[in-house]
Amino acid sequence: QVQLQESGPGLVKPSQTLSLTCTVSGGSITSDYYVWSWIRQPPGKGLEWVGLITYDDSSYYSPSLKSRTSISRDTSKNQISLQLSSVTPEDTAVYYCAGRIDHSFAINRYQGNYEYTYWGQGTQVTVSS
């Protein structure tokens, strides 16, 4: 059974880098056609897609966040990592990792699309000032 678990500091100072890790168990992040996303939900707001990385190590980011976002993987640990630099209080949110199999990958379907097979439970990140 595929399970996702987010981890990382729950409190980040403004201007610093938010770093989170998604540990995947029960399946390999490199298995064919898997897409692994980071999604966040600020307080009182809807879900916002942050970015993703594919099974073949291609990464894509939300246009509004791409200048500050980096998603990478550690295949030896079966982990997906998120780094969001220069954070502000507007980055305060519950951060989720999520995954799905996509046999016809096209990046334009992922902006605003939250149909994933696997979800982590989410981790609260607060950017304090």
Side-chain angles (χ1 to χ4, degrees), residues 63-76:
S64 64
L65 299 171
K66 62 182 179 181
S67 66
R68 300 191 290 130
T69 307
S70 179
I71 296 174
S72 59
R73 69 182 189 178
D74 185 336
T75 58
S76 68

Side-chain angles (χ1 to χ4, degrees), residues 13-109:
K13 295 180 178 179
S15 82
Q16 294 188 339
T17 296
L18 180 161
S19 297
L20 298 174
T21 298
C22 174
T23 300
V24 179
S25 61
S28 174
I29 61 174
T30 62
S31 293
D32 286 354
Y33 307 117
Y34 268 109
V35 176
W36 305 99
S37 285
W38 284 99
I39 298 159
R40 69 181 186 179
Q41 186 169 32
K45 299 182 179 180
L47 297 173
E48 178 185 16
W49 177 70
V50 176
L52 65 82
I53 190 166
T54 67
Y55 71 99
D56 57 352
D57 206 23
S58 296
S59 58
Y60 304 85
Y61 309 112
S62 169
S64 64
L65 299 171
K66 62 182 179 181
S67 66
R68 300 191 290 130
T69 307
S70 179
I71 296 174
S72 59
R73 69 182 189 178
D74 185 336
T75 58
S76 68
K77 298 180 179 179
N78 216 39
Q79 293 178 330
I80 308 296
S81 296
L82 169 68
Q83 293 192 324
L84 183 64
S85 65
S86 303
V87 298
T88 74
E90 296 297 318
D91 295 310
T92 294
V94 176
Y95 284 75
Y96 300 92
C97 57
R100 69 187 299 268
I101 295 175
D102 190 344
H103 290 279
S104 302
F105 178 80
I107 187 59
N108 57 13
R109 76 172 295 276

